[in-house]
Amino acid sequence: MSALVSFKQIGFAYPDASKPALHGLDLEIAPGSVTALLGPNGAGKTTLLNLVLGWLKPADGEVLFQGRPLGAYSRRDLGQKIALVPQSEHFTFEFTVLDYVLLGRAPYLQPLAMPGAADLEVAREAIAEAGIQELTHRPVTALSGGERQLVLLARALAQQPELLLLDEPSSHLDLANKARLIKILKSLNNRGVSILLSTHEPEVASSLASHLVLVREGQVFAEGNFEALFTAPNLEKLYGLPVEVITVGQRKIAIY
Amino acid sequence: MTQEPSKAAGPNLFWLAALLIALILVSFAIGRYPPLNQLTPQRLAEDVLAQRLILNLRVPRVLTAVLVGASLAAAGAVLQMIFGNPLVEPGFLGVSQGAGFGAALAIILLAHNFYTTQILAAVFAFLGLGFSYLIARRVRFGGWILRLILAGIAVSALFSSGLGILKYVADPLSQLPEITFWLLGGLWAVTWPQFISILPAILLGLAVLLLMRWRLNLLSLNDQTAFSLGSSPARERMILLVAAVLITAASVSVAGMVSWVGLLVPHIARRIYGADARHMLPASMLIGAIFTLICDDLGRSLFTGEIPLGILTSLIGASLFLYLMYRRGSGLST
């Protein structure tokens, strides 16, 4: 089966940066997989996600989605296929959670169209799936960090994407919400949605991912099956400190 | 297309529209001649002077106040959203200062002619935007919105110093008072031709804004998010920006500087109808029209001499704004 996303010899540098964020990077993401980008802060994980989104354009190389270059898709097409849950988002205006999640329907609507009853239904379902029905009519500006992150997730769900990108999705979540997020993402993946997430928390990767991509200093330093890669020597190289991997129940956990 | 009641708060927009229409009709009757207590259908049928006064002066003036108020409020609401900043108003981006400079230039160079003043004011309003845009494209740091706002501040300052020079060289007996009066804002010189001259631009601009009003919600998010939701934020914002500047330039060209409508009214609309532009934008237009019309009615009827519209909108607008801030937050998060 052909790759969902392929990076071909990607080079990328931010303006005014002394060294490139990514260089000579090759990577393929399989359809239907849950792939975790694991690496220390500043390794280039968010840059990778933004390249998949098309928000950043590589200086060298090409990013393909379902075998075609990203530039070959219309903006609306990509919005229907790829959704992003950003790490955080600043809310300026007091939209209700429902209004906010409804914006996830934008890629399905012509620029002058208003969302209809069917779109509203999708938005309500997305809110229910994210488990935040009680927040439906609350203004987004009044929410806590964790609640906000679930609203961002609900909006991405309303996009009904084929590929869901998540940038550090667990960073503002408490234990219960982290578990809820993992459950939601698992059920989404069971319905055929591919998931690519960045995280610096090995536990999140270990409870979710089927594939692991270890990113360090702008390069993929190892990638493949989660079981094979999630080892103490790999994590030690990745983070540059002694790590021990132990198995609790069926889960591997990294301790340091 | 269904209008789902995602926000049920606030009175139905229909009542707001009804209030505006009632106010328009009342405004036709307000004025020094004929006195209100003598204004009967009979009197109107017989008094040719009263007929002319109302039809040729009062009706176009009242309708222009409605257009100007709706435009400035809508432009304010739209700019606040596309710049993601609730403190932005239509005077931004060099538009108002440009218009003021253009009007002063016309008064000094082209002498006493309402049309040249109107045209130059509109042209320089757009030049203000154009300069801001070109400068913002060349700035090498910061996000697009920050660059545009910084460029707008610089262009405004340049035009405003240019205006200072023009005032300095203006004839203090004839030209200077005219410039000053124009800058204070007012509709005293408006008759049908002025109304007709701005009507097409304003209808076009307002139509674009109203049609894109749900999209506006999307464009109020940061660039990356709007992009991930399948839009081309820079291009779509530019369409809205040009429409907003078009109606601002048209308004300023007949009314001069009418401040505070564009800043204050969207806040009131947001407070009553919520942030969703599907309701907030039409509400802003209606409230802006009502507010401006009331100010103009007061300005021309309170005293024997007319109070410039811009003075009243600032006085009442700023007081209301303070009151809103004291009462419960400012309706925005920081």
Side-chain angles (χ1 to χ4, degrees):
Chain A
M1 208 164 169
S2 71
L4 181 68
V5 179
S6 9
F7 290 87
K8 302 223 181 278
Q9 280 298 305
I10 295 297
F12 181 85
Y14 288 97
D16 305 328
S18 57
K19 57 178 190 174
L22 303 173
H23 47 101
L25 185 140
D26 281 305
L27 181 64
E28 297 212 327
I29 312 265
S33 67
V34 178
T35 306
L37 302 168
L38 193 61
N41 295 325
K45 304 184 298 286
T46 303
T47 309
L48 268 174
L49 291 180
N50 279 324
L51 284 165
V52 179
L53 191 66
W55 173 242
L56 295 178
K57 308 236 176 329
D60 303 306
E62 201 173 27
V63 182
L64 305 181
F65 181 74
Q66 294 175 342
R68 291 164 63 200
L70 281 181
Y73 293 90
S74 74
R75 295 287 324 111
R76 288 183 59 215
D77 261 3
L78 273 188
Q80 293 174 16
K81 288 174 187 296
I82 305 177
L84 169 75
V85 179
Q87 191 171 353
S88 65
E89 200 165 294
H90 177 71
F91 299 136
T92 308
F93 297 104
E94 293 180 315
F95 291 111
T96 64
V97 167
L98 183 60
D99 288 338
Y100 211 74
V101 172
L102 197 54
L103 292 175
R105 301 306 294 163
Y108 295 89
L109 296 167
Q110 297 291 343
L112 298 186
M114 304 276 168
D119 297 305
L120 201 72
E121 192 49 41
V122 175
R124 285 186 187 280
E125 277 166 18
I127 289 172
E129 192 164 4
I132 48 173
Q133 292 101 316
E134 73 280 4
L135 303 178
T136 304
H137 297 289
R138 291 268 302 280
V140 287
T141 43
L143 304 179
S144 73
E147 291 169 332
R148 287 174 184 216
Q149 214 150 19
L150 292 170
V151 170
L152 300 183
L153 175 66
R155 186 184 62 201
L157 295 178
Q159 269 175 274
Q160 300 179 318
E162 293 170 34
L163 170 63
L164 183 62
L165 308 173
L166 301 104
D167 193 3
E168 304 285 354
S170 53
S171 53
H172 297 289
L173 298 180
D174 62 21
L175 211 55
N177 278 330
K178 219 175 270 194
R180 178 149 75 173
L181 172 82
I182 287 166
K183 209 177 121 205
I184 295 167
L185 293 184
K186 275 184 173 163
S187 94
L188 208 60
N189 185 241
N190 286 337
R191 299 202 310 256
V193 179
S194 312
I195 292 171
L196 176 61
L197 64 120
S198 75
T199 179
H200 49 237
E201 295 179 273
E203 312 86 74
V204 175
S206 80
S207 48
L208 256 180
S210 57
H211 286 73
L212 209 53
V213 177
L214 306 182
V215 189
R216 213 184 95 189
E217 290 174 358
Q219 277 183 315
V220 173
F221 124 88
E223 59 145 325
N225 184 279
F226 176 83
E227 291 297 323
L229 277 186
F230 200 77
T231 61
N234 275 341
L235 295 181
E236 276 175 13
K237 262 191 250 170
L238 193 63
Y239 291 101
L241 86 175
V243 178
E244 221 181 299
V245 172
I246 56 167
T247 306
V248 179
Q250 296 190 328
R251 272 175 62 190
K252 288 185 171 185
I253 290 176
I255 40 178
Y256 45 89
Chain B
M1 297 294 148
T2 39
Q3 275 280 333
E4 286 296 328
S6 60
K7 186 87 190 178
N12 196 311
L13 283 179
F14 170 81
W15 294 111
L16 216 49
L19 176 64
L20 175 61
I21 290 169
L23 192 65
I24 290 173
L25 295 175
V26 169
S27 302
F28 290 157
I30 294 176
R32 236 165 299 129
Y33 185 89
L36 256 186
N37 53 4
Q38 292 169 29
L39 190 68
T40 58
Q42 212 178 344
R43 169 89 184 255
L44 268 186
E46 290 161 7
D47 190 339
V48 181
L49 179 62
Q51 284 172 12
R52 284 213 187 125
L53 237 134
I54 290 173
L55 284 181
N56 294 342
L57 293 176
R58 225 170 272 164
V59 173
R61 177 171 183 162
V62 166
L63 294 180
T64 304
V66 169
L67 281 189
V68 166
S71 298
L72 292 176
V78 167
L79 293 182
Q80 287 174 8
M81 289 190 83
I82 59 179
F83 288 123
N85 184 338
L87 296 178
V88 172
E89 57 123 9
F92 242 63
L93 306 173
V95 174
S96 287
Q97 298 300 335
F101 179 82
L105 204 63
I107 290 168
I108 290 176
L109 294 183
L110 304 167
H112 221 76
N113 183 330
F114 194 90
Y115 293 104
T116 51
T117 310
Q118 187 187 344
I119 291 167
L120 271 199
V123 166
F124 274 84
F126 262 97
L127 277 181
L129 173 73
F131 285 147
S132 303
Y133 177 78
L134 288 177
I135 293 170
R137 284 188 59 140
R138 279 156 200 275
V139 175
R140 304 301 301 165
F141 63 92
W144 170 242
I145 288 173
L146 175 71
R147 300 196 316 244
L148 205 52
I149 288 179
L150 285 178
I153 291 172
V155 169
S156 293
L158 283 177
F159 273 128
S160 130
S161 58
L163 180 63
I165 295 171
L166 290 179
K167 279 161 111 174
Y168 183 73
V169 301
D171 178 344
L173 290 178
S174 60
Q175 294 166 340
L176 192 55
E178 203 179 333
I179 294 174
T180 308
F181 220 47
W182 193 90
L183 291 175
L184 289 174
L187 296 170
W188 64 87
V190 169
T191 50
W192 284 112
Q194 281 84 38
F195 173 76
I196 302 288
S197 71
I198 62 165
L199 187 63
I202 286 187
L203 287 184
L204 176 72
L206 286 181
V208 169
L209 299 184
L210 274 178
L211 284 171
M212 288 184 75
R213 67 189 191 279
W214 186 70
R215 204 73 183 167
L216 199 52
N217 291 342
L218 180 66
L219 296 169
S220 77
L221 309 181
N222 72 48
D223 275 358
Q224 186 197 19
T225 303
F227 181 88
S228 79
L229 291 165
S231 77
S232 312
R235 206 179 56 205
E236 290 178 39
R237 285 208 183 99
M238 195 44 71
I239 296 172
L240 288 163
L241 182 63
V242 169
V245 171
L246 177 69
I247 58 177
T248 304
S251 302
V252 172
S253 77
V254 291
M257 303 286 183
V258 179
S259 40
W260 278 91
V261 179
L263 181 63
L264 170 79
V265 172
H267 282 270
I268 296 178
R270 218 175 275 127
R271 181 69 65 84
I272 304 174
Y273 291 92
D276 183 352
R278 280 180 294 171
H279 312 286
M280 188 276 276
L281 186 66
S284 286
M285 289 168 52
L286 291 169
I287 296 171
I290 291 169
F291 175 70
T292 309
L293 186 52
I294 290 176
C295 286
D296 190 50
D297 285 349
L298 289 176
R300 67 188 169 86
S301 60
L302 269 187
F303 300 109
T304 40
E306 181 164 330
I307 311 170
L309 179 60
I311 292 181
L312 277 176
T313 56
S314 321
L315 184 68
I316 301 175
S319 316
L320 265 175
F321 195 70
L322 282 175
Y323 171 72
L324 283 180
M325 283 201 300
Y326 265 107
R327 237 179 102 234
R328 181 177 62 86
S330 56
L332 49 108
S333 75
T334 42

